Amino acid sequence: MHKPEEKYCPKCNELFICNAGDIDNCQCSTISLNDDVRHFLAKTNFDCLCNNCLKKISATVEATKGLSFPTEKEMFVEGVHYYLENGNWVFTELYHLLRGYCCKSGCRHCVYGFKKN
């Protein structure tokens, strides 16, 4: 049987206790995640996440319902899908979430937890 272990959340870097060996008694079992959130998490590169990040991810996924991915330049909204930095477009977490997959380019605001080594 696995013992609870201290882990750092890969999203926010906060220390938390993970009990993946006894999932019914793990901190994450207190968070109710719907199928959309579970589907999103299955596509990420995250290991265990702290409860705060699970709650934030759940709220973010819920907030995207009814929104569509911008497919034409006119559909992009500055401050929502991107912001400008030194004349370059920097895509937001919302943009990446609406896209629906990770491009594995190491984007600054990747919601999928991918980091280039």
Side-chain angles (χ1 to χ4, degrees), residues 11-68:
K11 188 152 175 65
C12 72
N13 208 34
E14 289 295 317
L15 185 65
F16 69 99
I17 303 297
C18 176
N19 197 5
D22 184 10
I23 200 70
D24 290 335
N25 292 307
C26 190
Q27 55 96 35
C28 66
S29 69
T30 64
I31 305 292
S32 178
L33 303 174
N34 67 29
D35 288 341
D36 292 334
V37 176
R38 290 178 188 278
H39 180 71
F40 167 74
L41 288 170
K43 295 190 291 184
T44 71
N45 294 300
F46 293 124
D47 188 15
C48 295
L49 294 161
C50 71
N51 275 0
N52 287 335
C53 285
L54 286 171
K55 289 176 187 175
K56 287 177 186 174
I57 287 171
S58 183
T60 302
V61 169
E62 285 300 307
T64 64
K65 285 191 176 182
L67 300 178
S68 58

Side-chain angles (χ1 to χ4, degrees), residues 64-98:
T64 64
K65 285 191 176 182
L67 300 178
S68 58
F69 180 71
T71 56
E72 298 177 21
K73 186 176 180 180
E74 299 79 28
M75 297 170 72
F76 285 86
V77 177
E78 186 173 356
V80 175
H81 301 108
Y82 72 97
Y83 58 89
L84 293 174
E85 185 175 274
N86 299 321
N88 297 310
W89 284 34
V90 179
F91 294 110
T92 63
E93 282 191 349
L94 176 65
Y95 168 87
H96 292 291
L97 186 60
L98 290 173

